[in-house]
Amino acid sequence: MSVSQRSASTPAAPAPKGAGLKKIVAASMVGTVVEWYEFFLYATAATLVFGKYFFPPTGNDLDGIIQAFLTYAVGFVARPLGGIVFGQIGDKLGRKPTLQLTIVIIGVSTFLMGCLPGFASLGYWAPALLVILRFVQGFALGGEWGGAVLLVAEHSPNKSRAFWSSWPQAAVPVGNLLATLVLYIMSNVLSSADFLGWGWRVAFWLSAVIVFVGYYIRTHVSEAPIFLEAKAQLEESQAVSYGVGEVIRKYPKGILQSMGLRFAENIMYYLVVSFSIVYLKSVHKYDTSSLLLALLIAHLTHFLIIPQIGRLVDSWGRKPVYLIGAITGATWPFFAFPMFDTRNPAIIVLAVTIGLCLHGFMYAGQPAIMSELFPTRMRYAGVSLGSQVTSIFAGSLAPLLATQWLKDTGSWLPTAIYLVVACVITTVAVLTLKETKGIALEDVDRADAEREGLVPAAAH
């Protein structure tokens, strides 16, 4: 029997149970917390600080915010490039070394952001250096997400893959919560002048401490048996290939489905956590501390609900839960912005929290669904490419477009229509999926091997 046949017909060792799997989940989560702490820190700082600090004044605060969001978008443009590069590395060398590399890169770039002088000191060199560091940050994050979720998904039992792989997703609001908490404390302890002058830098510098912790934990995890089997197959046989080029040739439908799944989810997330701040500050002059407190509560709720939705994805199925998120997500702006207009703190918190809960119905099941779309030999590349390319057209543009529409029309309605269209696109993508609840990843590999003519259909 050939190596390829052996790989396809012999199941991998069972996923670790108990403490073993929990250790892998923790390793995946801690790095994701670090990297999303840094990524969201930039998003929040772009709204609160960067527009004033790194760009020349124009007399309209929205102009500075729009310029800051343009630099924010650079990170999203870099993400698919990172997904391509690190997806290739991750499918060849492994998930673990790739994740160790990405956490170091994103940590260094974020620390250096906290050291940059502003426009008053460097002129246009200030935003230029900010853009370069933002690109590096986004490049590393583009390779982080796929590896983090696959490290867990490939170790997880078939019947609970969505639950376990939802934990790295839950790490995202934890990172966001930490970033918001640090900024909230700094904005309350310091005067506005001190916060704008140097206080925001502390949050960026703190990332170095968290990076050391995340890197250390990630050195103590192992690759999934199914990946090691696929890696051995690639090394010993020239009959199959891996990586970005291969997944584009062989699984274009899976990439398009991943992009469709990601589209509304990514747009909705950044409307809820970024544009909401812009709207409340520019339209209602809401104070920074109150906005950050609202986000703290919303992020905490988001963290708590994501694993529970992951359980529903395992019990109800991938498609019905995702459809709940896509359909209900389209309704959010139509009640959320009127709730913002009340200027009532409790109602504002509720609007943001509901938005993130609805988002969770799409977000929790993504790792399981996407990992089940691709065989192991090209899974990292497929998942990274499908998710990160979408971010260019979705999350990067969402707060920028919404802010521009607010400036041009003074209304949130164009943004609401925008989200509805995005949710329709995602709904169509979900409907094209096959339900894969409980599927074994070995069966996905076996089907891929048959497709390549490596295993005769009668073999099983």
Side-chain angles (χ1 to χ4, degrees):
M1 179 181 287
S2 70
V3 175
S4 300
Q5 291 172 321
R6 206 165 52 240
S7 171
S9 58
T10 304
K17 303 296 191 295
L21 182 53
K22 290 177 181 177
K23 180 180 178 181
I24 290 164
V25 170
S28 177
M29 285 186 69
V30 71
T32 304
V33 166
V34 171
E35 293 177 346
W36 281 96
Y37 165 86
E38 294 161 346
F39 206 75
F40 185 74
L41 186 62
Y42 190 102
T44 308
T47 304
L48 301 177
V49 178
F50 289 172
K52 297 177 180 178
Y53 191 77
F54 286 103
F55 299 94
T58 64
N60 186 333
D61 287 344
L62 286 179
D63 288 334
I65 293 174
I66 290 171
Q67 290 173 318
F69 275 145
L70 283 171
T71 67
Y72 182 60
V74 168
F76 286 88
V77 174
R79 281 167 65 172
L81 297 177
I84 290 170
V85 172
F86 291 113
Q88 194 83 4
I89 295 171
D91 279 331
K92 183 177 183 180
L93 300 181
R95 285 54 167 142
K96 177 180 173 178
T98 309
L99 290 173
Q100 289 173 312
L101 179 59
T102 57
I103 197 173
V104 170
I105 294 173
I106 202 168
V108 170
S109 61
T110 306
F111 181 84
L112 291 176
M113 284 179 187
C115 301
L116 284 179
F119 185 85
S121 300
L122 288 184
Y124 286 99
W125 275 108
L129 291 172
L130 183 66
V131 166
I132 291 171
L133 291 174
R134 174 63 177 168
F135 184 91
V136 173
Q137 188 189 54
F139 181 80
L141 186 65
E144 153 67 20
W145 183 81
V149 298
L150 291 185
L151 190 66
V152 177
E154 292 177 341
H155 276 97
S156 299
N158 299 328
K159 292 184 178 179
S160 55
R161 183 175 299 116
F163 169 71
W164 288 111
S165 62
S166 71
W167 280 99
Q169 302 289 77
V172 173
V174 174
N176 294 348
L177 189 150
L178 288 176
T180 307
L181 180 61
V182 171
L183 289 172
Y184 176 73
I185 293 172
M186 299 304 294
S187 67
N188 272 280
V189 171
L190 302 175
S191 66
S192 296
D194 285 340
F195 178 74
L196 185 61
W198 61 269
W200 62 272
R201 297 180 184 277
V202 175
F204 284 79
W205 292 336
L206 284 175
S207 66
V209 179
I210 313 174
V211 163
F212 282 122
V213 175
Y215 183 86
Y216 174 78
I217 292 176
R218 282 187 171 176
T219 61
H220 291 78
V221 297
S222 58
E223 299 284 3
I226 192 172
F227 169 76
L228 295 175
E229 185 77 13
K231 182 181 178 183
Q233 171 185 327
L234 289 169
E235 290 173 349
E236 297 179 30
S237 172
Q238 300 300 314
V240 291
S241 185
Y242 68 96
V244 174
E246 182 77 352
V247 77
I248 291 173
R249 286 193 299 271
K250 300 296 176 62
Y251 289 87
K253 181 179 179 182
I255 293 174
L256 290 174
Q257 288 173 321
S258 298
M259 293 174 70
L261 291 173
R262 182 89 163 129
F263 192 63
E265 173 270 309
N266 201 225
I267 287 173
M268 182 173 181
Y269 186 75
Y270 287 100
L271 290 180
V272 175
V273 302
S274 293
F275 180 65
S276 293
I277 297 176
V278 175
Y279 183 82
L280 287 164
K281 279 190 70 67
S282 62
V283 174
H284 295 302
K285 309 302 179 186
Y286 213 69
D287 70 280
T288 298
S289 295
S290 297
L291 288 174
L292 292 174
L293 180 61
L295 285 175
L296 277 174
I297 296 170
H299 289 317
L300 178 60
T301 306
H302 202 207
F303 164 70
L304 294 173
I305 199 172
I306 285 174
Q308 305 314 314
I309 296 174
R311 290 186 188 277
L312 293 182
V313 176
D314 282 322
S315 60
W316 293 1
R318 280 47 171 153
K319 294 176 66 173
V321 175
Y322 216 104
L323 285 172
I324 290 173
I327 293 170
T328 59
T331 69
W332 176 77
F334 294 98
F335 61 80
F337 285 99
M339 291 171 75
F340 292 154
D341 291 340
T342 67
R343 301 195 64 189
N344 182 302
I347 293 177
I348 288 173
V349 169
L350 184 61
V352 176
T353 302
I354 291 174
L356 289 183
C357 288
L358 298 181
H359 168 268
F361 279 88
M362 293 184 279
Y363 198 54
Q366 271 185 13
I369 298 171
M370 292 187 185
S371 66
E372 292 157 1
L373 287 173
F374 305 101
T376 304
R377 65 188 176 100
M378 60 182 84
R379 183 171 293 125
Y380 203 140
V383 167
S384 296
L385 194 62
S387 63
Q388 302 305 331
V389 168
T390 316
S391 66
I392 298 177
F393 309 103
S396 69
L397 292 178
L400 178 63
L401 290 174
T403 303
Q404 187 65 55
W405 290 329
L406 180 63
K407 178 186 176 186
D408 293 342
T409 69
S411 172
W412 51 263
L413 187 58
T415 298
I417 295 171
Y418 172 54
L419 182 57
V420 169
V421 172
C423 287
V424 169
I425 292 171
T426 291
T427 298
V428 171
V430 175
L431 294 175
T432 67
L433 293 171
K434 293 180 180 179
E435 179 57 63
T436 53
K437 181 182 73 170
I439 193 173
L441 296 182
E442 292 81 3
D443 288 341
V444 178
D445 288 352
R446 186 175 295 113
D448 175 65
E450 288 182 9
R451 175 175 172 173
E452 295 298 305
L454 301 174
V455 177
H460 50 98

